[in-house]
Amino acid sequence: VASKIIETRVYEGQKPGTSGLRKAVRVFMQEHYTENFVQAILQSLGEQLPGSTLVVGGDGRYYGKETVGKIIKIAAANKVKKLIIGQNGILSTPAVSTIIRKYKTQGGIVLTASHNPGGPDADFGIKFNCENGGPAPDHVTNKIYEITKVLKSYKIAPDVTVDIDKIQSTTIQVDGSPFIVDVVDSVNDYLEHMKNIFDFSSIKALLQGSNSHLPFKILINAMNGVTGPYIKRIFINELGVDNSSVVNAVPLEDFGGLHPDPNLTYAKGLVNAMKDGPYDFGAAFDGDGDRNMILGKKAFFVTPSDSLAVLAANLNSIPYFKKTGVKGYARSMPTGAAVDRVAAKNGIKIYEVPTGWKYFGNLMDAGHLSLCGEESFGTGSDHIREKDGIWACLAWLSVIASLKKSVEEILLNHWQTYGRNFFTRYDYENCDSEAANKMMQHIESELEKPGFVGTKLTSEGKTYIVKLGDNYSYTDPVDGSQASKQGLRILFQDGSRIIYRLSGTGSSGATIRVYIDSYENDPASLTKDAQEVLKPLVTVALEISKLREFTGRDAPTVIT
Ligand code: VG1
Ligand code: CO
């Protein structure tokens, strides 16, 4: 078959955010809109494009299959040699990263808006991952964006169609050269990778009750997202749990109306089932499978910042790290600093990077980093270049199997050893963009005032003395690349922190995030409620920012 060139027009605003281009489905459905962005991704590959192999798959949300069809035709016309596509267009974000690395492809295209709701009236997204398996770094996404601003046409081979519901390999002659589409099982490569990382037999022993504290019951909730097929294979087929332990495990185009974000607000189903049920351990994942929430008995909540620290302290329970050693830890800047204390104690290097997984990749590629995480329910390691929800769940089960303690006991012991970083994040979703920007300007001008350092801020009898206030910027220690304006920070003398950021993953309006992190080592405080402990600092944060005045909001929409 032959390819042709289609004239198009430039669409404004095709600028990838924290994690790819995310917009309402309706925006992607505009004539040529999706085609333009796919063409721009391919063109950004430059000389690597002709003869390349790319991975394609997504979280199963509405408009995913149509987009796979378009990518097949556009890739064929752009001289891509081969596409590896997940059956039904299904691949979790961690699976895409796994497949890119395993088959050494030039990259992959992930069709997801992650934790944003799906369906015709909700969101869609397209993200490019590079040959290391990780989200494209800023210099690549900037290049893609620059191309979208001047694109006049795209190439397409309209007659290339492949049935992606069937596992098969198809070769089609396009402009006289062979173009191959391999439709592959969505789970196989990922499952094999997990089996090489973890000791499945010890996890199985735990889950089947042959460990000391029997029976150990788990509940895994896929939130109707992409992880369904993965957790069925892993937990039911491989680890032998019964069907009732795995819920919402069929990927749905609209996630069954759920907001597939595993936190205490949106994963209420899991939280309630854990509160009332007989379960020792619960986990939920987001739409594309890279986020995780871990709960213990009676819905005991593990904050992601603590989860990272506990895993850091116990990596020797996982065979993979026994082989590779522990090279370093990292967290995103707003993430609670609990892992820093593990690093200090173990004499292991800790890195702080801006929000977004793309900043961890260089450190991993250079061999500086084994384990990293974000407060936003992202945990992962250098086994791939994305955060990985199911990996985090298996890591936790490995630690439990090895320590033979409950989730709550593990946390208590951890805090007794290291002290506790109390952490909370307040999200104000869908604020007026102009108001949010004005608020950020206001905060920045406060931080810049001479004399801000040393200011005493008092609330409810607690006084915090400002040590530093700035707009966070980062220099990558590997390639020297810089990222500026990554969040407004106020650091206090006692190590407490307040951070303000605007989200880069929303599709409408502005989402303001306020992060609060505070350290306590008084044994009497360790088991207190985080909201109670952090209340004075939250009050300080709201006062400095004048958030109520600027946005008219009395309360956050989500607290994590
Ligand atoms: C959010 C989180 C960030 C995460 C990103 C992508 O970004 O805060 O930590 O890396 O989502 O996660 P933002 O810019 O909205 O704060 V996912 O699961 O959407 O890949
Ligand atoms: Co996600």
Side-chain angles (χ1 to χ4, degrees), residues 491-512:
L491 312 188
F492 297 98
Q493 281 185 0
D494 71 346
S496 299
R497 302 185 300 156
I498 299 173
I499 292 138
Y500 307 89
R501 266 185 79 247
L502 296 184
S503 156
T505 57
S507 61
S508 64
T511 292
I512 299 167

Side-chain angles (χ1 to χ4, degrees), residues 108-405:
I109 300 176
V110 200
L111 307 175
T112 175
S114 188
H115 53 283
N116 296 19
D121 298 317
D123 287 349
F124 188 67
I126 304 182
K127 184 170 82 151
F128 181 64
N129 282 29
C130 295
E131 59 192 336
N132 72 346
D138 290 331
H139 72 92
V140 176
T141 53
N142 290 339
K143 193 166 164 190
I144 295 171
Y145 179 47
E146 292 306 318
I147 296 170
T148 67
K149 291 198 283 190
V150 295
L151 198 75
K152 295 203 166 59
S153 62
Y154 58 85
K155 295 180 196 153
I156 190 160
D159 300 328
V160 177
T161 52
V162 175
D163 179 4
I164 59 166
D165 296 349
K166 250 178 46 200
I167 293 177
Q168 57 176 342
S169 180
T170 310
T171 304
I172 300 164
Q173 296 295 321
V174 180
D175 300 329
S177 304
F179 171 67
I180 306 160
V181 176
D182 277 356
V183 179
V184 300
D185 180 274
S186 307
V187 182
N188 283 350
D189 293 308
Y190 182 79
L191 171 62
E192 182 197 84
H193 201 29
M194 292 302 114
K195 281 174 139 177
N196 288 329
I197 292 168
F198 296 105
D199 178 359
F200 269 45
S201 62
S202 85
I203 300 175
K204 188 168 184 175
L206 169 76
L207 298 181
Q208 305 213 320
S210 27
N211 210 317
S212 59
H213 45 291
L214 38 137
F216 193 86
K217 269 186 84 65
I218 65 169
L219 184 62
I220 310 284
N221 191 326
M223 299 189 84
N224 302 319
V226 75
T227 52
Y230 297 83
I231 63 178
K232 280 191 204 153
R233 282 276 289 283
I234 292 173
F235 289 95
I236 299 174
N237 297 9
E238 297 286 335
L239 298 172
V241 307
D242 53 62
N243 292 334
S244 64
S245 296
V246 166
V247 298
N248 292 336
V250 177
L252 300 176
E253 288 200 329
D254 65 350
F255 307 116
L258 291 184
H259 191 147
D261 199 0
N263 59 43
L264 295 175
T265 303
Y266 294 126
K268 264 274 173 288
L270 178 75
V271 175
N272 292 338
M274 293 291 298
K275 266 189 190 146
D276 307 332
Y279 306 103
D280 300 285
F281 178 92
F285 310 111
D286 72 336
D288 63 327
D290 55 1
R291 296 186 178 202
N292 73 92
M293 177 168 75
I294 302 294
L295 299 176
K297 211 171 177 61
K298 302 280 169 230
F300 177 87
F301 174 58
V302 183
T303 68
S305 305
D306 277 341
S307 174
L308 175 64
V310 167
L311 293 181
N314 293 288
L315 285 182
N316 56 2
S317 317
I318 301 169
Y320 175 87
F321 297 105
K322 284 195 195 138
K323 257 183 270 157
T324 64
V326 179
K327 296 163 185 161
Y329 307 129
R331 59 168 172 79
S332 65
M333 182 273 283
T335 301
V339 65
D340 300 34
R341 300 178 194 284
V342 179
K345 188 151 193 213
N346 295 356
I348 286 175
K349 189 129 181 76
I350 171 94
Y351 298 86
E352 185 183 57
V353 307
T355 294
W357 212 260
K358 56 188 164 191
Y359 297 104
F360 295 123
N362 265 355
L363 292 167
M364 290 184 180
D365 291 347
H368 295 323
L369 181 55
S370 294
L371 177 81
C372 54
E374 295 190 279
E375 49 62 44
S376 54
F377 298 81
T379 324
S381 90
D382 64 349
H383 69 289
I384 52 173
R385 295 293 179 270
E386 287 278 8
K387 52 191 186 269
D388 188 343
I390 293 174
W391 175 92
C393 177
L394 293 169
W396 260 94
L397 292 172
S398 306
V399 171
I400 294 167
S402 141
L403 297 180
K404 302 191 195 310
K405 287 182 182 147

